[in-house]
Amino acid sequence: MADRVEALSRVPLFAGVGRRELKRLADRMSPRTFTEGEVAVEEGRGGAGFWLIEEGDATVSIGGDIVRSLGPGDYFGEVALLDDGPRSATVTAGTDMRCAGMAAWEFRPFVLEHPEVALTMLQTLARRLREAEARSE
């Protein structure tokens, strides 16, 4: 569990969220396995899950081009916790992969029970938006 909390603390969306709240969030995550070659999330499709990789690795592709690799401690799908928009990339299991995750409908009650987390996430998103706008100028 400590590894899961540590991994969650590295997710930019959760920057500034206290360890106690991260532990509560980690406690709500469910296990899921993906077999080698299985598409975990598909670019352009809807998806409601956030996944933290605990074992195995995956590739991330955009438009069919591999843009990065993921391994234990990495994550994908965090923005799906906040909206129902299409996935920005495809994530495919490169090996058998064990993950812990949660769906948006599981995350929302957590935020309602811990409103301080919502404020922290809004501040993080605002900072990321400012940084993105500054890069585009």
Side-chain angles (χ1 to χ4, degrees):
M1 181 61 68
D3 290 340
R4 195 178 289 175
V5 172
E6 182 59 34
L8 285 173
S9 73
R10 292 189 304 268
V11 176
L13 181 64
F14 303 133
V17 174
R19 291 195 69 80
R20 182 175 48 205
E21 287 79 18
L22 290 177
K23 182 177 181 332
R24 290 178 180 147
L25 185 60
D27 288 342
R28 293 181 180 218
M29 297 176 84
S30 301
R32 166 77 195 268
T33 57
F34 296 94
T35 58
E36 181 178 350
E38 184 177 354
V39 172
V41 299
E42 188 173 354
E43 180 179 5
R45 306 265 330 237
F50 162 71
W51 300 104
L52 176 63
I53 300 173
E54 296 184 321
E55 287 181 11
D57 51 59
T59 58
V60 179
S61 59
I62 299 174
D65 296 323
I66 295 175
V67 296
R68 72 184 281 224
S69 297
L70 302 174
D74 290 327
Y75 55 88
F76 56 96
E78 70 279 13
V79 175
L81 293 173
L82 303 176
D83 78 352
D84 297 324
R87 297 290 186 160
S88 59
T90 296
V91 177
T92 306
T95 63
D96 289 347
M97 193 169 56
R98 184 173 55 87
C99 298
M102 74 172 26
W105 59 86
E106 296 168 311
F107 181 69
R108 288 180 184 128
F110 172 80
V111 172
L112 291 173
E113 293 166 17
H114 306 283
E116 67 281 2
V117 171
L119 180 58
T120 301
M121 288 190 307
L122 284 171
Q123 291 168 333
T124 298
L125 289 171
R127 184 178 66 252
R128 289 177 68 182
L129 177 61
R130 280 194 204 95
E131 291 168 356
E133 287 174 340
R135 284 193 303 268
S136 69
E137 294 176 352

